[in-house]
Every structure is written in structure tokens, then in C-alpha cells.
Amino acid sequence: MYRTHNCGELRLQHIGKTITLAGWVQKVRKMGSITFVDLRDRYGITQLLFNEQLNTLLDTQPIGREFVLQIKGNVLERSSKNNKLPTGEIEIEVTDYLILNASATPPFTIEEETDGGDELRMKYRYLDLRRPTLKRNLELRYKVNRSVRNYMDSMGFWDIETPYLINSTPEGARDFLVPSRMNEGQFYALPQSPQILKQLLMVSGYDRYYQIVKCFRDEDLRADRQPEFTQIDCEMSFVEQEDVLNMFEGLFKHVFKDVKGVEIVDAFPRLTWADAMWNYGNDKPDIRFEMKIKNLKEKNNTHCQVLKHTDFKVFNDAETILAICVPNSSEYTRKQTDELTEWCKRPQIGMTGLIFVKCNTDGSYKSSVDKFFNEAKLQELAAFCNAKTGDLILILAGNENRTRKAMSELRLEMGNRLNLRNPDEYKPLWVIDFPLFEYDDEGKRWNACHHPFTSPKPEQIHLLDKANMYGEIKANAYDIVLNGTEIGGGSIRIHQRALQEQMFAALGLSKSEAQEKFGFLLGAFEYGAPPHGGIAFGLDRLCSLLGGQETIRDFIAFPKNNSGRDVMLEAPSTIDNKQLIELGLEVKHR
Ligand code: ASP
């Protein structure tokens, strides 16, 4: 038997017991004639004491960091207790030890905070995973998984696996392709999601399906994206949007309670997509703080009277003028407003300037556009914005899309600067009534905003005949948003062949293309497809939010870097010629 206990287990009640432990050497501290060693495993750390006699043995058989040891010894009460460690009241007086395996010196410290850079940590991920931070993250992920499974099980959902070697499933990204040896010149596509398969399971009558499943999307990676990521994928039959929202609001409440001990009693707020864009400038608003956007002018409609007749060209020329009122900030110095202006001019934000109005606590107003707006006008503007004394009004003007996006970023930035985005506060909400289509300026065509299987609002189906009205059609689609991050989305699906064909046509697919790509789905819709709908959640992101961290990478055991590489496995890699020949492939460099 390798061990009688684990390294996180022993307490005062075990004093006097003879025990055996096995684990890794965290630290060796030689103190004169005795040596202390911290022994670590997944469960914790236990202090070992090598007395004088054993110490001589340690001279001939030295141990170092990350050696794997088995020790036998007696549990003693510690004279100086460490109340930071669960095992801190005891230590083990070692009577025997065996080096089960030696270790090379690790390339970085295996501690809470490490000196290893990202690439190094990824290359030696198996060592990185020994760090308590990573271990806690993976434990949290496991708990989220378990909690999801328990809830879904209690609601009658069946976990059904779907294949990975399939055809293209359009979710708006590029496919990862796998050549088929047995079918020369043909390729599988890895699923961007199990979307179509879960819909087919509804056609088969399985009623409630879920799966915690890998999805693959070949996209340019940002810090928070991975080419393969995990979804909690769900589908239900005979449901309307309301049923789906209620079911999965329940899931979230369950997981928050289970994993974080946070009880969310209230119903999640619901915001239409249009309201989200209007008030927050994006479709995933962080509602932990207010600071809503004031629409002074949008798409050439001037709502704020005082801006109607001005000599200020910037305002006159702008398609859109937006403002936010930043509380308790009217005392911003020149240096601070200059810095903020520079912030808005960064290429990521893309504005040419920032205008501000200070609503001073003495009741006066001061602005960066005093030349064009006297105090009475500034006051009128402030009143339109519902500004309070002490507010700093920040105004951006320009083209609709860019200005709205920039204002959304500025709002979040001010939220950060004012510490209004507390990671321990959870404010989920639903965003509903998304547009069905979005226009792709480059490709000069309409794309599905969610995916092509999403149903339009029934009362707007007739607009599918009128291409000039596509922008007006709303979908039965919804997202769940947590603290400014979209963590899931879904829709009520189309379940009639004719409507699905109409949708494909609207997206520019000819009848034969639709038949070739999705003939099986159109066919299935002829055999009694029930009304159905569902949703999928990003598990990696959900875990990182629950863990209070920015990047999803440290919630994935073996993630890829920003170039989509696994630097430990050195994947992707070239394959040998024989394999290429077998696959009937030849590599041509771009
Ligand atoms: N398949 C969708 C996605 O991956 C989710 C859904 O509509 O259920 O975003």
C-alpha cells in the first residue's frame, strides 16, 4: 500500500498514529541537524520532520523539489502551528522514507504565483497543473460540470453523444477539416456545434437533450478564444422561448448556488437587443453599474434640442452623438481629461476626440466646448443627460457604429476606473429579440445573426419575401449575459421545411445548394418535426467568470496558445509523406 492517508488529511485527532504518505516535495528546509520537508499532493500539504538520524541518510540520499517520496512516520502535534494550512497543527516525524522517483529541477517555481512566463508554463503544462491556482480552477470546472449534470438529470434531460466527424455546421466560423483516407478527396468537418444533430434528436422524439461537448471553430484567436472549446449544449421539444428561458435560468441559479454558494432569487432581467444597443452600446451589457448611454443624436436624428443649431462642426457633421454621465468625477484635472482623450483616440477605440462637460459641485458648468456652448446651453445639455452635480459628462461624436462601439468601451473603462465592476458580484441577464439577419458589408450579403436554423418572429415571417426589410426582422433568439460577457445563446428553431427553405434562400443559398448541404435536415422536417428550441453555454468562459479570472486558458487542462498551437505536444505538426500519399494529399505552400 503506497499510503494510508493523503497529504491534506491529517489533523490533531491523528496524533500518535503511524501513517504512510506519498507525494511531491514542495520545499526542503534544513535547520541545523534537522530538516523540514513540505510534502504535497492534490489534497494538500503536510509538513515532515527528518530528525538527526535520518538527516545523515539525507546527506547520502538527497531529495529536492518535486521528488516523489513515500514516507512512514508518526503524527506529532506541532509546537509552532500554522493556521494557514488545514494540516498546520500537526507534522510527521519521519521514520522511513523511499524516493519513488527523482525530479529534475523544474523550469519554474511551482507555487501559487510562479516566475514562469506563459509559453514556459504551457510547454510544461503538467508541472503548471501542479500549482494550487490551476488545481483550484480545474476543481471548479469539475464542480460546474457535476452541478450542470445534476440539474439536467433532475429535469429529465438525456445526455446523448453526437459524432465529431461530420459535415459543415455553420456557426459563422471556418471549419476544421479532416481528410478521409477511405474516401479519397473527401473531408469531414469537425462540428462548430452539434446544432443540426441535436435538432435531429428532437425529430427523433428525444424531447430533452443535453451534452457537455467539444466544438471546433477555426478562427483567429483572441486571448479568450480557443480553437476547441466546450459547450453545455441543450435542446428541448414543444417549447416556446419562455419555456427555454425559465428552464435555463433555473440551471444558472442551481449552478451559482451549488458552486459559489450565491443565491439569486430574482428573475434575471430581460432586455431587448435594441434596448441593449441603445442604453449600453453593445449586446452583452455589464449591468453591475448604470451609467447608461444618452443618445443625444443617433443616425442623424437630433434628440437633444440644444445640439440642433450650433456652430460646432463636429456635432453638426456627426451621424451620432452619445454621452455618459460619470458620477463623482467633475473634478477631473486637465491631465486626466487629456489622458482620457488619448484613450479614446487609440486605434482600438478609433475616435478623433472626446468632449466633456463638468457639472461642478458649486453648480457651475465647464466644458471643452465652451466656445460653442454657453453655460445655459451646457446646463440644458446636462439636463437632457439627467446629469447630477459632480458628474463628468463624456461625449463622443461620429459615425453610428463606431461611436456606439467606442462609447460602450468608454463606459466599461469608466466602470473599471471607478471600481464598479466587482468580480464577486454576479448580474446575469437575458438579451432577447435579436435581429434575424446582419448585413455583411464586405461580402455584400445577409448572414444569419445567430445561425440559419433560427426562427423569425412569427408575425414577421412575411417579411422574408422582401429583401429590403431583412434588417427589420427579429428572431426568436436569446443570449444569456453575465457581467458583460455573453455566456450562452440559443433560439427557437425553424421546424417546417418550407420556412427553412425560405431562410436558406434569404441567405443566398440556391435551392440545389441548400439541398446538397442540408438535404438531410430538410428531409427530416418532412417526417413530423416537433416545434423545438434550445441553447448552448460556453463552459470555459462560465468557469473563468465563476473563478473571477479573465482568461479561459487556465480553466482548461491543456489549452492552445494564441496561434492555436499546443506547445507541449507541438501540435499541429507536419505529417510524413507516406501519410500524405495514403490520404491522396499534397501540401502546397501559400
Ligand atoms: N448552436 C448554437 C451555438 O453554438 C447554440 C444554439 O442555438 O443552441 O451558438
Side-chain angles (χ1 to χ4, degrees), residues 10-295:
L10 296 167
R11 301 283 186 276
L12 282 179
Q13 83 224 39
H14 298 101
I15 285 171
K17 284 219 156 75
T18 301
I19 53 90
T20 311
L21 296 180
W24 288 260
V25 172
Q26 172 77 31
K27 215 190 265 166
V28 182
R29 273 163 300 146
K30 203 162 166 48
M31 313 268 278
S33 57
I34 57 169
T35 301
F36 290 106
V37 170
D38 284 347
L39 196 67
R40 182 195 69 231
D41 65 10
R42 200 188 87 189
Y43 309 92
I45 288 184
T46 300
Q47 176 165 294
L48 312 177
L49 167 66
F50 288 73
N51 62 19
E52 274 176 56
Q53 214 182 335
L54 275 176
N55 242 357
T56 32
L57 203 60
L58 273 183
D59 289 336
T60 51
Q61 270 186 50
I63 55 175
R65 275 161 56 201
E66 303 308 316
F67 273 48
V68 187
L69 285 193
Q70 183 189 39
I71 63 103
K72 201 168 169 181
N74 303 314
V75 185
L76 305 184
E77 181 167 2
R78 270 210 222 180
S79 49
S80 60
K81 302 201 164 56
N82 175 354
N83 57 17
K84 288 200 193 96
L85 266 190
T87 60
E89 292 189 307
I90 57 100
E91 64 192 355
I92 314 298
E93 180 167 43
V94 177
T95 51
D96 257 318
Y97 77 96
L98 181 64
I99 297 175
L100 296 175
N101 217 338
S103 170
T105 307
F108 49 83
T109 53
I110 298 180
E111 305 270 355
E112 192 82 41
E113 300 285 337
T114 180
D115 53 358
D118 266 7
E119 279 295 283
L120 200 60
R121 286 176 44 212
M122 292 300 154
K123 186 162 161 59
Y124 296 94
R125 188 63 164 176
Y126 47 90
L127 296 180
D128 199 24
L129 288 170
R130 288 184 190 169
R131 293 172 50 228
T133 334
L134 275 276
K135 195 182 68 190
R136 272 197 307 275
N137 290 354
L138 289 197
E139 184 179 21
L140 177 115
R141 185 180 177 117
Y142 154 70
K143 285 184 175 163
V144 173
N145 262 306
R146 184 182 58 185
S147 182
V148 167
R149 289 193 189 284
N150 286 344
Y151 180 84
M152 298 308 275
D153 180 58
S154 76
M155 291 295 167
F157 285 79
W158 283 1
D159 176 355
I160 302 174
E161 288 160 85
T162 50
Y164 285 158
L165 296 175
I166 60 171
N167 268 341
S168 186
T169 42
E171 295 279 2
R174 277 196 200 89
D175 290 322
F176 277 104
L177 299 169
V178 181
S180 165
R181 181 184 54 81
M182 288 191 285
N183 304 274
E184 203 184 286
Q186 297 189 350
F187 294 80
Y188 301 100
L190 300 180
Q192 292 185 32
S193 83
Q195 184 59 37
I196 304 179
L197 296 158
K198 68 176 173 175
Q199 290 191 239
L200 291 176
L201 286 170
M202 295 303 107
V203 178
S204 307
Y206 284 90
D207 201 62
R208 289 181 173 196
Y209 142 97
Y210 88 104
Q211 193 183 183
I212 298 182
V213 64
K214 275 288 168 69
C215 299
F216 306 85
R217 297 184 191 177
D218 186 2
E219 295 178 290
D220 293 333
L221 302 179
R222 296 197 309 258
D224 60 344
R225 291 255 175 106
Q226 286 281 307
E228 52 176 307
F229 60 96
T230 306
Q231 278 191 348
I232 306 164
D233 190 45
C234 316
E235 197 75 8
M236 305 168 77
S237 288
F238 304 113
V239 285
E240 290 170 341
Q241 175 166 303
E242 195 58 29
D243 302 304
V244 180
L245 300 195
N246 286 333
M247 175 61 73
F248 293 101
E249 195 161 313
L251 169 67
F252 272 85
K253 287 181 173 171
H254 175 85
V255 172
F256 276 118
K257 177 91 200 303
D258 228 12
V259 178
K260 297 295 288 186
V262 172
E263 192 131 20
I264 304 180
V265 186
D266 297 337
F268 295 1
R270 294 182 189 180
L271 208 59
T272 63
W273 176 85
D275 281 348
M277 296 305 289
W278 181 262
N279 291 310
Y280 301 95
N282 67 50
D283 57 8
K284 43 182 186 337
D286 185 344
I287 56 165
R288 280 173 297 181
F289 66 106
E290 280 270 325
M291 224 190 277
K292 286 185 188 165
I293 294 175
K294 315 289 175 193
N295 291 263

Side-chain angles (χ1 to χ4, degrees), residues 546-565:
L546 292 175
Q549 290 176 31
E550 290 279 311
T551 68
I552 59 173
R553 252 196 240 168
D554 281 346
F555 291 81
I556 298 172
F558 299 106
K560 308 230 178 335
N561 73 6
N562 278 354
S563 336
R565 297 196 68 82

Side-chain angles (χ1 to χ4, degrees), residues 184-418:
E184 203 184 286
Q186 297 189 350
F187 294 80
Y188 301 100
L190 300 180
Q192 292 185 32
S193 83
Q195 184 59 37
I196 304 179
L197 296 158
K198 68 176 173 175
Q199 290 191 239
L200 291 176
L201 286 170
M202 295 303 107
V203 178
S204 307
Y206 284 90
D207 201 62
R208 289 181 173 196
Y209 142 97
Y210 88 104
Q211 193 183 183
I212 298 182
V213 64
K214 275 288 168 69
C215 299
F216 306 85
R217 297 184 191 177
D218 186 2
E219 295 178 290
D220 293 333
L221 302 179
R222 296 197 309 258
D224 60 344
R225 291 255 175 106
Q226 286 281 307
E228 52 176 307
F229 60 96
T230 306
Q231 278 191 348
I232 306 164
D233 190 45
C234 316
E235 197 75 8
M236 305 168 77
S237 288
F238 304 113
V239 285
E240 290 170 341
Q241 175 166 303
E242 195 58 29
D243 302 304
V244 180
L245 300 195
N246 286 333
M247 175 61 73
F248 293 101
E249 195 161 313
L251 169 67
F252 272 85
K253 287 181 173 171
H254 175 85
V255 172
F256 276 118
K257 177 91 200 303
D258 228 12
V259 178
K260 297 295 288 186
V262 172
E263 192 131 20
I264 304 180
V265 186
D266 297 337
F268 295 1
R270 294 182 189 180
L271 208 59
T272 63
W273 176 85
D275 281 348
M277 296 305 289
W278 181 262
N279 291 310
Y280 301 95
N282 67 50
D283 57 8
K284 43 182 186 337
D286 185 344
I287 56 165
R288 280 173 297 181
F289 66 106
E290 280 270 325
M291 224 190 277
K292 286 185 188 165
I293 294 175
K294 315 289 175 193
N295 291 263
L296 309 182
K297 179 177 180 186
E298 51 80 49
K299 297 186 191 149
N300 290 319
N301 288 318
T302 308
H303 302 289
C304 175
Q305 292 306 319
V306 74
L307 301 188
K308 270 208 165 133
H309 309 287
T310 80
D311 298 328
F312 187 35
K313 195 163 157 19
V314 174
F315 279 175
N316 295 342
D317 291 350
E319 182 187 11
T320 292
I321 307 174
L322 304 174
I324 49 171
C325 300
V326 185
N328 308 322
S329 302
S330 64
E331 272 155 32
Y332 251 50
T333 59
R334 176 67 195 265
K335 194 166 161 230
Q336 284 173 300
T337 48
D338 282 353
E339 186 268 331
L340 212 50
T341 307
E342 286 313 308
W343 189 92
C344 294
K345 287 183 178 171
R346 296 179 322 156
Q348 305 95 298
I349 305 298
M351 299 308 293
T352 48
L354 170 72
I355 293 141
F356 63 85
V357 179
K358 291 176 175 176
C359 309
N360 296 325
T361 41
D362 63 6
S364 67
Y365 295 87
K366 182 99 194 84
S367 80
S368 55
V369 284
D370 282 355
K371 223 163 94 188
F372 304 99
F373 297 90
N374 61 24
E375 196 146 355
K377 285 189 173 165
L378 291 179
Q379 189 172 3
E380 208 179 317
L381 191 145
F384 182 90
C385 295
N386 285 328
K388 298 190 185 52
T389 44
D391 279 2
L392 172 70
I393 308 177
L394 300 177
I395 304 172
L396 294 176
N399 125 310
E400 164 71 24
N401 287 344
R402 186 170 341 112
T403 309
R404 199 163 287 280
K405 198 158 173 290
M407 188 46 98
S408 150
E409 295 294 331
L410 182 59
R411 175 182 172 271
L412 295 174
E413 174 66 17
M414 296 318 287
N416 283 337
R417 292 186 187 200
L418 267 60

